[in-house]
């Protein structure tokens, strides 16, 4: 598996709350959840470390634990979540609903198998030679009904504190949705699967900021996104995403919480 990838903050020199890492046969993408630290600084997170620290610490731990091919991906993620909880060194309230949290996507080549795990609304798109790629994303969060707002306004509302407060209370609850935070059990509620290596031609692993051309703007199909990443590289996907965003900075044409988002995309070619 040959991996090329890029991870960019919303603007140069801003903190990146996405994380991308790869090692031999493993790619990991994380997207920190909740309001960015620069907006949330006056809101209580119960954590002195912040989101960029969390995604960096968890991402590094996932890459290390998933590097052991004998460890199933859910166990590897559970171990990494537990290690990261320990790394707060008891100084933070890990039961706080706003404790740092993140989506996690792992793609691993394990001998004759390609394994994947998806937790939260980041995406894996696998080209297995069929007309349409296999696309896996975990949309359990966005299926949470948020009463009293119409569908057009819904996306604009999704970054408000009011909405965040509702969502954060549902993290890792039986009637809510799983996400990587401080509870290792969330790993066992991830979407996971595997294919034979001979079936897989190429795959994309991406945060939602890098799949907007397809799933938010409707400008490209998944196959066209794979083709763009293959021909122009992951940077070209980000460039075209930023160009599209800039034509709609007020988020009117494409309702969304933020005009720009951190964007991360890795292309894996087999
Ligand atoms: Zn902390």
């Amino acid at each position: 598996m040959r991996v090329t990838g890029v991870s960019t903050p919303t603007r140069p020199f801003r903190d990146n709350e996405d994380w991308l890492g790869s090692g031999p046969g493993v790619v990991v993408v994380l997207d920190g959840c909740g309001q960015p630290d620069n907006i949330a600084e006056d809101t209580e997170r119960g954590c002195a470390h912040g989101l960029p620290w969390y995604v960096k610490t968890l991402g590094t731990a996932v890459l290390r634990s998933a590097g052991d091919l004998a460890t199933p991906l859910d166990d590897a993620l559970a171990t990494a979540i537990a290690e990261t909880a320990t790394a707060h060194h008891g100084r933070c309230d890990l039961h706080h609903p706003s404790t740092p949290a993140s989506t996690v996507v792992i793609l691993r080549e394990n001998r004759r198998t390609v394994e994947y795990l998806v937790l939260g609304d980041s995406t894996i798109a696998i080209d297995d030679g069929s007309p349409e790629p296999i696309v896996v994303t975990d949309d359990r969060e966005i299926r949470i009904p948020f009463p009293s707002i119409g569908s057009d306004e819904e996306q604009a509302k999704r970054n408000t504190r009011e909405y965040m407060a509702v969502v954060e209370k549902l993290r890792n609850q039986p009637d809510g949705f799983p996400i990587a935070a401080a509870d290792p059990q969330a790993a066992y509620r991830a979407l996971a699967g595997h294919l034979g290596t001979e079936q897989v031609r190429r795959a994309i692993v991406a945060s939602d900021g890098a799949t907007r051309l397809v799933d938010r703007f409707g400008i490209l199909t998944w196959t066209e996104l794979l083709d763009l990443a293959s021909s122009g590289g992951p940077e070209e996907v980000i460039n075209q995403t930023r160009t599209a965003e800039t034509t709609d900075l007020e988020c009117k044409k494409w309702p969304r919480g933020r005009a720009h988002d951190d964007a991360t995309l890795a292309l894996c070619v087999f």
Side-chain angles (χ1 to χ4, degrees), residues 111-134:
R111 300 183 180 91
R112 294 186 179 176
T113 305
V114 176
E115 306 162 317
Y116 62 84
L117 178 148
V118 180
L119 185 59
D121 65 353
S122 293
T123 299
I124 217 160
I126 300 172
D127 176 6
D128 67 346
S130 313
E132 289 298 318
I134 300 163

Side-chain angles (χ1 to χ4, degrees), residues 4 6 127 133 202-204 210-214 217 219-244 265-269:
T4 48
V6 64
D127 176 6
R202 54 188 177 157
I204 275 175
T211 56
R212 288 179 156 187
L213 290 169
V214 179
F217 304 158
I219 293 171
L220 299 180
T221 64
W222 287 108
T223 299
E224 287 165 345
L225 188 75
L226 278 151
D227 289 344
L228 180 61
S230 302
S231 61
E235 294 88 351
E236 187 53 24
V237 173
I238 308 297
N239 290 344
Q240 293 198 16
T241 303
R242 298 295 182 225
T243 302
L265 187 137
L267 173 72
C268 312
V269 179

Side-chain angles (χ1 to χ4, degrees), residues 46-50 53 88 92 94 100:
C47 170
H49 299 88
W53 172 89
H88 288 271
C92 308
L94 302 186

